Coordinates of all heavy atoms in Angstrom, one line a residue:
M19 N 0.8 -1.2 0.0 CA 0.0 0.0 0.0 C 0.9 1.2 0.0 O 2.0 1.2 0.5 CB -0.9 0.0 1.2 CG -2.0 1.0 1.2 SD -3.3 0.9 2.3 CE -3.9 -0.8 2.1
L20 N 0.4 2.3 -0.6 CA 1.1 3.6 -0.7 C 0.3 4.7 -0.2 O -0.9 4.7 -0.5 CB 1.5 3.8 -2.2 CG 2.3 5.0 -2.5 CD1 3.8 4.7 -2.2 CD2 2.2 5.4 -4.0
E21 N 0.9 5.5 0.6 CA 0.3 6.7 1.1 C 0.9 7.9 0.3 O 2.1 8.0 0.1 CB 0.5 6.9 2.5 CG -0.3 8.0 3.1 CD -1.3 7.6 4.2 OE1 -1.5 6.4 4.4 OE2 -1.8 8.5 4.9
A22 N 0.0 8.8 -0.3 CA 0.5 9.9 -1.1 C -0.2 11.2 -0.7 O -1.4 11.1 -0.3 CB 0.3 9.6 -2.6
V23 N 0.5 12.3 -0.8 CA 0.0 13.6 -0.6 C 0.3 14.4 -1.8 O 1.5 14.5 -2.2 CB 0.5 14.3 0.7 CG1 0.1 15.7 0.8 CG2 0.2 13.5 2.0
V24 N -0.7 15.0 -2.4 CA -0.6 15.9 -3.5 C -1.3 17.2 -3.2 O -2.5 17.2 -3.1 CB -1.1 15.3 -4.8 CG1 -1.0 16.2 -6.0 CG2 -0.5 13.9 -5.1
G25 N -0.5 18.2 -3.0 CA -1.1 19.5 -2.6 C -1.7 19.3 -1.2 O -1.1 18.8 -0.3
A26 N -3.0 19.6 -1.1 CA -3.7 19.5 0.2 C -4.4 18.1 0.3 O -5.1 17.8 1.3 CB -4.7 20.6 0.3
D27 N -4.4 17.3 -0.8 CA -5.1 16.0 -0.8 C -4.2 14.8 -0.4 O -3.1 14.7 -0.8 CB -5.7 15.8 -2.2 CG -6.6 16.8 -2.6 OD1 -7.5 17.3 -1.8 OD2 -6.6 17.2 -3.8
R28 N -4.8 14.0 0.4 CA -4.1 12.8 0.9 C -4.8 11.5 0.3 O -6.0 11.4 0.3 CB -4.1 12.7 2.4 CG -3.2 11.7 3.0 CD -3.0 11.8 4.5 NE -1.9 11.0 5.0 CZ -0.8 11.4 5.6 NH1 -0.7 12.7 5.8 NH2 0.1 10.6 5.9
F29 N -4.0 10.6 -0.2 CA -4.5 9.4 -0.8 C -3.9 8.1 -0.1 O -2.7 8.1 0.2 CB -4.2 9.3 -2.3 CG -4.7 10.5 -3.0 CD1 -3.9 11.6 -3.2 CD2 -5.9 10.5 -3.6 CE1 -4.3 12.7 -3.9 CE2 -6.4 11.6 -4.3 CZ -5.5 12.8 -4.4
R30 N -4.7 7.1 0.0 CA -4.2 5.8 0.4 C -4.4 4.8 -0.8 O -5.6 4.6 -1.1 CB -4.9 5.3 1.6 CG -4.2 4.1 2.3 CD -4.8 4.0 3.7 NE -4.1 3.2 4.7 CZ -2.9 3.5 5.3 NH1 -2.3 4.6 5.0 NH2 -2.4 2.7 6.2
L31 N -3.4 4.5 -1.5 CA -3.5 3.7 -2.7 C -3.2 2.3 -2.5 O -2.3 1.9 -1.8 CB -2.5 4.3 -3.8 CG -2.7 5.8 -4.1 CD1 -1.5 6.6 -4.0 CD2 -3.4 5.9 -5.4
K32 N -4.0 1.4 -3.2 CA -3.8 0.0 -3.2 C -3.2 -0.4 -4.5 O -3.1 0.4 -5.5 CB -5.2 -0.7 -3.1 CG -6.0 -0.3 -1.9 CD -7.4 -0.9 -1.8 CE -8.3 -0.6 -2.9 NZ -8.6 0.8 -3.2
P33 N -2.7 -1.7 -4.7 CA -2.1 -2.1 -5.9 C -3.0 -1.8 -7.1 O -4.2 -2.1 -7.0 CB -1.9 -3.6 -5.7 CG -1.7 -3.8 -4.2 CD -2.7 -2.7 -3.6
G34 N -2.5 -1.2 -8.1 CA -3.2 -0.9 -9.3 C -3.8 0.5 -9.3 O -4.2 1.0 -10.4
D35 N -3.8 1.2 -8.2 CA -4.3 2.6 -8.1 C -3.2 3.5 -8.7 O -2.1 3.2 -8.8 CB -4.6 3.0 -6.7 CG -5.8 2.3 -6.1 OD1 -6.6 1.7 -6.9 OD2 -6.0 2.4 -4.9
S36 N -3.7 4.7 -9.1 CA -2.7 5.7 -9.6 C -3.2 7.1 -9.1 O -4.4 7.3 -8.7 CB -2.7 5.7 -11.1 OG -3.9 6.0 -11.7
V37 N -2.3 8.0 -9.1 CA -2.5 9.4 -8.7 C -1.7 10.3 -9.5 O -0.5 9.9 -9.9 CB -2.3 9.6 -7.2 CG1 -0.9 9.4 -6.8 CG2 -2.8 11.0 -6.7
L38 N -2.2 11.5 -9.9 CA -1.4 12.4 -10.7 C -0.9 13.5 -9.7 O -1.6 14.1 -8.9 CB -2.4 13.1 -11.7 CG -1.8 14.3 -12.5 CD1 -0.6 13.7 -13.4 CD2 -2.8 14.9 -13.3
A39 N 0.4 13.8 -9.8 CA 1.1 14.8 -9.1 C 1.6 15.8 -10.1 O 2.7 15.7 -10.6 CB 2.2 14.3 -8.2
P40 N 0.9 16.9 -10.4 CA 1.3 17.8 -11.5 C 2.6 18.6 -11.1 O 2.9 18.8 -9.9 CB 0.2 18.8 -11.6 CG -1.0 18.1 -11.0 CD -0.4 17.2 -9.9
R41 N 3.4 18.9 -12.1 CA 4.6 19.7 -11.9 C 4.2 21.0 -11.1 O 3.2 21.6 -11.4 CB 5.2 20.1 -13.2 CG 6.4 20.9 -13.1 CD 7.0 21.3 -14.4 NE 7.2 20.1 -15.2 CZ 7.9 20.0 -16.3 NH1 8.3 21.1 -16.9 NH2 8.1 18.9 -16.9
G42 N 5.0 21.4 -10.1 CA 4.8 22.6 -9.4 C 3.9 22.5 -8.2 O 3.8 23.4 -7.4
I43 N 3.3 21.3 -8.0 CA 2.4 21.0 -6.9 C 3.2 20.2 -5.9 O 3.7 19.1 -6.3 CB 1.1 20.3 -7.2 CG1 0.4 21.1 -8.3 CG2 0.3 20.0 -6.0 CD1 -0.1 22.5 -7.8
P44 N 3.4 20.6 -4.6 CA 4.2 19.8 -3.7 C 3.5 18.4 -3.5 O 2.3 18.3 -3.5 CB 4.1 20.6 -2.4 CG 3.9 22.0 -2.8 CD 3.1 21.9 -4.0
H45 N 4.3 17.4 -3.5 CA 3.8 16.0 -3.4 C 4.8 15.1 -2.6 O 6.0 15.4 -2.7 CB 3.4 15.4 -4.7 CG 4.5 15.5 -5.7 ND1 4.8 16.6 -6.5 CD2 5.4 14.5 -6.1 CE1 5.8 16.3 -7.3 NE2 6.2 15.1 -7.1
A46 N 4.3 14.1 -2.0 CA 5.2 13.2 -1.3 C 4.5 11.8 -1.3 O 3.3 11.7 -1.5 CB 5.4 13.6 0.1
W47 N 5.3 10.7 -1.0 CA 4.7 9.4 -0.9 C 5.6 8.6 0.0 O 6.7 8.9 0.3 CB 4.6 8.7 -2.3 CG 5.9 8.5 -3.0 CD1 6.8 7.5 -2.8 CD2 6.6 9.4 -3.8 NE1 7.9 7.6 -3.5 CE2 7.8 8.8 -4.2 CE3 6.2 10.6 -4.4 CZ2 8.7 9.5 -5.1 CZ3 7.1 11.2 -5.3 CH2 8.3 10.7 -5.6
A48 N 4.9 7.6 0.6 CA 5.6 6.7 1.5 C 4.9 5.3 1.4 O 3.7 5.3 1.2 CB 5.6 7.2 2.9
F49 N 5.6 4.3 1.6 CA 5.0 2.9 1.6 C 4.4 2.7 3.0 O 5.0 3.1 4.0 CB 6.1 1.8 1.3 CG 6.5 1.9 -0.1 CD1 7.8 2.3 -0.4 CD2 5.7 1.5 -1.1 CE1 8.2 2.3 -1.8 CE2 6.1 1.5 -2.5 CZ 7.4 1.9 -2.8
A50 N 3.2 2.2 3.0 CA 2.4 1.9 4.2 C 2.2 0.4 4.3 O 1.8 -0.2 3.3 CB 1.1 2.7 4.2
G51 N 2.5 -0.2 5.4 CA 2.3 -1.6 5.6 C 3.6 -2.3 5.9 O 4.6 -1.7 6.0
G52 N 3.5 -3.6 6.1 CA 4.6 -4.3 6.6 C 5.4 -5.1 5.5 O 6.4 -5.8 5.8
T53 N 5.0 -4.9 4.2 CA 5.8 -5.6 3.2 C 6.3 -4.6 2.2 O 5.8 -3.5 2.1 CB 4.8 -6.6 2.4 OG1 3.8 -5.8 1.8 CG2 4.3 -7.7 3.3
P54 N 7.4 -4.9 1.5 CA 8.0 -4.0 0.5 C 7.0 -3.7 -0.6 O 6.1 -4.5 -0.9 CB 9.2 -4.8 0.0 CG 9.5 -5.8 1.0 CD 8.2 -6.2 1.6
G55 N 7.1 -2.6 -1.2 CA 6.2 -2.2 -2.3 C 7.0 -1.8 -3.5 O 8.2 -1.7 -3.5
R56 N 6.2 -1.6 -4.6 CA 6.8 -1.1 -5.8 C 6.0 0.1 -6.3 O 4.8 0.2 -6.1 CB 6.8 -2.2 -6.9 CG 7.6 -3.4 -6.6 CD 7.7 -4.4 -7.7 NE 6.4 -4.7 -8.2 CZ 6.2 -5.5 -9.3 NH1 7.2 -6.0 -9.9 NH2 5.0 -5.8 -9.7
L57 N 6.8 1.0 -6.9 CA 6.2 2.3 -7.3 C 6.6 2.6 -8.8 O 7.8 2.5 -9.0 CB 6.7 3.4 -6.4 CG 6.3 4.8 -6.7 CD1 4.8 5.0 -6.6 CD2 7.0 5.8 -5.8
L58 N 5.7 2.8 -9.6 CA 6.0 3.2 -11.0 C 5.7 4.7 -11.2 O 4.6 5.1 -10.9 CB 5.1 2.4 -12.0 CG 5.3 2.8 -13.5 CD1 6.7 2.4 -14.0 CD2 4.2 2.0 -14.3
I59 N 6.8 5.4 -11.5 CA 6.6 6.9 -11.7 C 6.8 7.2 -13.2 O 7.8 6.7 -13.8 CB 7.7 7.6 -10.9 CG1 7.5 7.3 -9.4 CG2 7.5 9.1 -11.1 CD1 8.6 7.9 -8.6
S60 N 6.0 8.0 -13.7 CA 6.1 8.4 -15.1 C 6.2 10.0 -15.2 O 5.5 10.6 -14.4 CB 4.8 8.0 -15.9 OG 4.9 8.4 -17.2
F61 N 7.1 10.5 -15.9 CA 7.3 11.9 -16.1 C 7.0 12.3 -17.5 O 7.5 11.7 -18.5 CB 8.8 12.3 -15.8 CG 9.2 12.0 -14.4 CD1 9.9 10.8 -14.2 CD2 8.9 12.8 -13.4 CE1 10.3 10.5 -12.9 CE2 9.4 12.5 -12.1 CZ 10.0 11.3 -11.8
A62 N 6.1 13.3 -17.7 CA 5.7 13.8 -19.0 C 5.5 15.3 -19.0 O 4.5 15.7 -18.3 CB 4.5 13.0 -19.5
P63 N 6.3 16.0 -19.6 CA 7.5 15.6 -20.3 C 8.6 15.3 -19.3 O 8.6 15.8 -18.2 CB 7.9 16.9 -21.1 CG 7.3 18.0 -20.4 CD 6.0 17.5 -19.7
A64 N 9.6 14.5 -19.7 CA 10.6 14.0 -18.8 C 11.5 15.1 -18.3 O 12.1 15.1 -17.2 CB 11.4 12.9 -19.4
G65 N 11.8 16.2 -19.1 CA 12.7 17.2 -18.8 C 14.0 16.7 -18.4 O 14.6 15.9 -19.1
Q66 N 14.5 17.0 -17.2 CA 15.8 16.7 -16.7 C 15.8 15.4 -15.8 O 16.8 15.1 -15.2 CB 16.5 17.8 -15.9 CG 16.6 19.1 -16.7 CD 17.3 20.1 -15.9 OE1 18.2 19.9 -15.2 NE2 16.8 21.3 -16.0
M67 N 14.7 14.7 -15.8 CA 14.6 13.6 -14.8 C 15.6 12.5 -15.1 O 16.1 11.9 -14.2 CB 13.2 13.1 -14.7 CG 12.2 14.1 -14.2 SD 12.7 14.9 -12.6 CE 12.8 13.6 -11.5
E68 N 15.7 12.1 -16.4 CA 16.7 11.0 -16.7 C 18.1 11.4 -16.2 O 18.8 10.6 -15.6 CB 16.6 10.7 -18.2 CG 17.4 9.5 -18.5 CD 17.3 9.1 -20.0 OE1 16.5 9.7 -20.7 OE2 18.0 8.1 -20.4
A69 N 18.5 12.6 -16.5 CA 19.8 13.1 -16.1 C 19.9 13.1 -14.6 O 21.0 12.7 -14.0 CB 20.1 14.4 -16.7
F70 N 18.9 13.5 -13.9 CA 18.8 13.5 -12.4 C 19.1 12.2 -11.9 O 20.0 12.0 -11.0 CB 17.5 14.1 -11.9 CG 17.3 13.8 -10.5 CD1 17.9 14.5 -9.5 CD2 16.4 12.8 -10.1 CE1 17.7 14.3 -8.1 CE2 16.2 12.5 -8.7 CZ 16.8 13.3 -7.8
F71 N 18.3 11.2 -12.3 CA 18.5 9.8 -11.8 C 19.8 9.2 -12.1 O 20.4 8.5 -11.3 CB 17.3 8.9 -12.2 CG 16.0 9.2 -11.5 CD1 15.0 9.7 -12.2 CD2 15.9 9.0 -10.1 CE1 13.8 10.0 -11.6 CE2 14.7 9.3 -9.5 CZ 13.6 9.8 -10.2
A72 N 20.3 9.5 -13.3 CA 21.7 8.9 -13.6 C 22.7 9.5 -12.7 O 23.6 8.8 -12.2 CB 22.0 9.2 -15.1
E73 N 22.7 10.8 -12.5 CA 23.7 11.5 -11.7 C 23.5 11.1 -10.2 O 24.5 10.8 -9.5 CB 23.6 13.0 -11.8 CG 24.6 13.8 -11.0 CD 26.0 13.5 -11.4 OE1 26.3 13.0 -12.5 OE2 26.9 13.8 -10.6
R74 N 22.3 11.0 -9.8 CA 22.0 10.5 -8.4 C 22.6 9.1 -8.2 O 23.2 8.9 -7.1 CB 20.5 10.5 -8.1 CG 20.2 10.1 -6.7 CD 18.8 9.6 -6.5 NE 18.7 8.3 -7.1 CZ 17.6 7.6 -7.2 NH1 16.5 8.0 -6.7 NH2 17.6 6.4 -7.7
D75 N 22.4 8.2 -9.1 CA 22.9 6.9 -9.0 C 24.5 6.9 -8.9 O 25.1 6.0 -8.3 CB 22.5 6.0 -10.1 CG 21.0 5.7 -10.0 OD1 20.4 5.9 -8.9 OD2 20.4 5.2 -11.0
R76 N 25.1 7.8 -9.6 CA 26.6 7.9 -9.6 C 27.1 8.5 -8.2 O 28.2 8.1 -7.8 CB 27.1 8.8 -10.7 CG 27.1 8.1 -12.0 CD 27.9 8.9 -13.1 NE 27.2 10.1 -13.5 CZ 26.3 10.1 -14.5 NH1 26.0 9.0 -15.1 NH2 25.7 11.3 -14.8
R77 N 26.3 9.4 -7.6 CA 26.8 10.2 -6.5 C 26.4 9.6 -5.1 O 27.2 9.8 -4.2 CB 26.3 11.6 -6.5 CG 26.7 12.4 -7.7 CD 25.9 13.7 -7.8 NE 26.8 14.7 -7.3 CZ 26.4 15.9 -6.9 NH1 25.1 16.2 -6.9 NH2 27.2 16.8 -6.6
L78 N 25.3 9.0 -5.0 CA 24.7 8.6 -3.7 C 24.7 7.1 -3.5 O 24.6 6.4 -4.4 CB 23.3 9.2 -3.5 CG 23.2 10.7 -3.6 CD1 21.7 11.1 -3.6 CD2 24.0 11.4 -2.5
K79 N 24.7 6.7 -2.2 CA 24.6 5.3 -1.9 C 23.2 4.8 -2.3 O 22.2 5.6 -2.2 CB 24.7 5.1 -0.4 CG 26.0 5.4 0.2 CD 26.0 5.1 1.7 CE 26.9 6.0 2.4 NZ 26.9 5.7 3.8
P80 N 23.0 3.6 -2.7 CA 21.7 3.1 -3.1 C 20.7 3.3 -1.9 O 21.0 3.1 -0.8 CB 21.9 1.6 -3.3 CG 23.4 1.5 -3.6 CD 24.1 2.6 -2.9
G81 N 19.5 3.7 -2.3 CA 18.4 3.9 -1.3 C 18.4 5.3 -0.7 O 17.5 5.6 0.1
T82 N 19.4 6.2 -1.0 CA 19.4 7.5 -0.4 C 19.1 8.5 -1.6 O 19.4 8.2 -2.7 CB 20.8 7.9 0.2 OG1 21.8 7.8 -0.8 CG2 21.1 7.0 1.4
Y83 N 18.5 9.7 -1.2 CA 18.2 10.7 -2.2 C 18.9 11.9 -2.0 O 19.2 12.6 -2.9 CB 16.7 10.9 -2.1 CG 15.9 9.7 -2.5 CD1 15.4 8.9 -1.5 CD2 15.7 9.4 -3.8 CE1 14.7 7.7 -1.8 CE2 15.0 8.2 -4.1 CZ 14.5 7.4 -3.1 OH 13.8 6.3 -3.5
S84 N 19.2 12.3 -0.8 CA 19.9 13.5 -0.5 C 20.4 13.5 0.9 O 20.0 12.7 1.7 CB 19.0 14.8 -0.8 OG 18.0 14.8 0.2
S85 N 21.3 14.5 1.2 CA 21.7 14.6 2.6 C 22.2 16.1 2.8 O 23.0 16.6 2.1 CB 22.8 13.6 3.0 OG 23.9 13.9 2.2
G86 N 21.5 16.7 3.8 CA 22.0 18.1 4.1 C 21.9 19.1 3.0 O 21.1 18.9 2.0
D87 N 22.7 20.1 3.1 CA 22.7 21.2 2.1 C 23.1 20.8 0.7 O 22.6 21.2 -0.3 CB 23.5 22.4 2.6 CG 22.9 23.1 3.8 OD1 21.7 23.0 4.0 OD2 23.7 23.7 4.6
S88 N 24.1 19.8 0.7 CA 24.6 19.4 -0.6 C 23.4 18.6 -1.3 O 23.3 18.7 -2.6 CB 25.8 18.4 -0.4 OG 25.4 17.3 0.3
G89 N 22.5 18.0 -0.6 CA 21.4 17.3 -1.2 C 20.4 18.3 -1.8 O 19.9 18.2 -2.9
A90 N 20.2 19.4 -1.1 CA 19.3 20.5 -1.6 C 19.9 21.1 -2.8 O 19.1 21.4 -3.8 CB 19.1 21.5 -0.5
A91 N 21.2 21.4 -2.8 CA 21.8 22.0 -4.0 C 21.7 21.0 -5.2 O 21.5 21.5 -6.3 CB 23.2 22.3 -3.7
F92 N 21.9 19.8 -5.0 CA 21.8 18.8 -6.0 C 20.4 18.8 -6.6 O 20.2 18.8 -7.9 CB 22.2 17.4 -5.5 CG 22.0 16.3 -6.5 CD1 22.7 16.2 -7.6 CD2 21.1 15.3 -6.2 CE1 22.5 15.2 -8.5 CE2 20.9 14.2 -7.1 CZ 21.6 14.2 -8.3
L93 N 19.4 18.7 -5.8 CA 18.0 18.7 -6.3 C 17.7 20.0 -7.1 O 17.1 20.0 -8.1 CB 17.0 18.6 -5.1 CG 17.0 17.2 -4.5 CD1 16.1 17.3 -3.2 CD2 16.5 16.2 -5.4
H94 N 18.2 21.2 -6.5 CA 17.9 22.5 -7.2 C 18.5 22.5 -8.6 O 18.0 23.1 -9.5 CB 18.5 23.6 -6.3 CG 18.2 24.9 -6.8 ND1 16.9 25.5 -6.8 CD2 19.0 25.9 -7.4 CE1 17.0 26.7 -7.4 NE2 18.2 26.9 -7.7
A95 N 19.7 21.9 -8.8 CA 20.3 21.9 -10.1 C 19.4 21.2 -11.1 O 19.6 21.4 -12.3 CB 21.7 21.1 -10.0
Y96 N 18.5 20.4 -10.7 CA 17.6 19.7 -11.6 C 16.2 20.2 -11.5 O 15.2 19.6 -11.9 CB 17.6 18.2 -11.4 CG 19.0 17.6 -11.8 CD1 20.0 17.5 -10.9 CD2 19.2 17.2 -13.1 CE1 21.2 17.0 -11.3 CE2 20.4 16.7 -13.5 CZ 21.4 16.6 -12.6 OH 22.6 16.1 -13.0
G97 N 16.0 21.4 -10.9 CA 14.7 22.1 -10.8 C 13.8 21.6 -9.8 O 12.5 21.7 -9.9
M98 N 14.3 20.9 -8.7 CA 13.5 20.4 -7.6 C 13.9 20.9 -6.3 O 15.0 21.5 -6.2 CB 13.6 18.9 -7.6 CG 13.1 18.2 -8.8 SD 13.3 16.4 -8.7 CE 15.0 16.2 -9.3
E99 N 13.0 20.8 -5.3 CA 13.4 21.2 -3.9 C 12.6 20.4 -3.0 O 11.5 20.0 -3.2 CB 13.2 22.7 -3.7 CG 11.7 23.1 -3.7 CD 11.5 24.6 -3.3 OE1 12.1 25.0 -2.3 OE2 10.9 25.3 -4.1
L100 N 13.2 20.1 -1.8 CA 12.5 19.5 -0.7 C 11.7 20.5 0.1 O 12.3 21.6 0.4 CB 13.5 18.7 0.2 CG 14.2 17.5 -0.4 CD1 15.2 17.0 0.6 CD2 13.2 16.4 -0.7
V101 N 10.5 20.3 0.3 CA 9.7 21.2 1.1 C 8.9 20.4 2.2 O 8.5 19.3 2.0 CB 8.6 22.0 0.3 CG1 9.3 22.9 -0.7 CG2 7.7 21.0 -0.5
G102 N 8.8 21.0 3.4 CA 8.1 20.4 4.4 C 8.8 19.2 5.1 O 9.8 18.8 4.6
P103 N 8.2 18.7 6.1 CA 8.7 17.5 6.8 C 8.4 16.3 6.0 O 7.6 16.2 5.1 CB 8.0 17.5 8.1 CG 6.7 18.1 7.8 CD 7.0 19.2 6.8
P104 N 9.1 15.1 6.3 CA 8.8 13.9 5.6 C 7.4 13.5 5.9 O 6.8 13.8 6.9 CB 9.8 12.9 6.3 CG 10.9 13.7 6.9 CD 10.2 15.0 7.2
L105 N 6.8 12.7 5.0 CA 5.4 12.2 5.1 C 5.4 11.2 6.2 O 6.2 10.2 6.3 CB 5.0 11.6 3.8 CG 3.6 11.0 3.7 CD1 2.6 12.1 4.0 CD2 3.4 10.4 2.4
V106 N 4.5 11.4 7.2 CA 4.2 10.4 8.3 C 3.0 9.5 7.9 O 2.0 10.1 7.6 CB 4.0 11.1 9.6 CG1 3.7 10.2 10.7 CG2 5.2 12.0 10.0
V107 N 3.2 8.2 7.9 CA 2.2 7.3 7.6 C 1.5 6.8 8.9 O 2.2 6.4 9.8 CB 2.7 6.1 6.8 CG1 1.6 5.1 6.5 CG2 3.4 6.6 5.6
D108 N 0.2 6.9 8.9 CA -0.6 6.5 10.1 C -0.6 5.0 10.3 O -0.8 4.3 9.4 CB -2.0 7.0 10.1 CG -2.1 8.5 9.9 OD1 -1.0 9.2 9.9 OD2 -3.2 9.1 9.8

């Protein structure tokens, strides 16, 4: 199961569900439940996302996305920023 927040809306998604998170709208997601999950993300248009993921995979340990100010600068270089606290799953 996946918990997602898009703007002011909160969703609890089951396998096969989908949600749209438009560019420029803050969004977050977290896996909910006791088993590993899978997430398919599609970007249209892709913009700099392919370059972002390739560079992230070269720079960071597997399973990490950023750390401290260097992480924020890295995201900013690809047109993204972290906002708000991490998503808490009930």
Side-chain angles (χ1 to χ4, degrees):
M19 190 167 308
L20 184 77
E21 186 121 350
V23 174
V24 180
D27 299 320
R28 191 171 191 119
F29 304 90
R30 196 163 194 72
L31 299 131
K32 300 178 299 304
D35 288 347
S36 63
V37 64
L38 174 66
R41 181 182 300 190
I43 303 297
H45 53 277
W47 61 87
F49 290 109
T53 59
R56 295 187 308 174
L57 174 67
L58 174 64
I59 301 174
S60 177
F61 299 96
Q66 299 181 43
M67 295 311 299
E68 186 173 356
F70 164 77
F71 285 113
E73 182 63 20
R74 185 202 69 183
D75 290 348
R76 280 193 289 275
R77 299 171 102 199
L78 301 173
K79 292 184 214 175
T82 61
Y83 297 97
S84 66
S85 60
D87 293 335
S88 62
F92 173 64
L93 291 172
H94 184 70
Y96 291 92
M98 296 178 276
E99 68 176 308
L100 290 176
V101 295
L105 180 61
V106 175
V107 178
D108 302 0

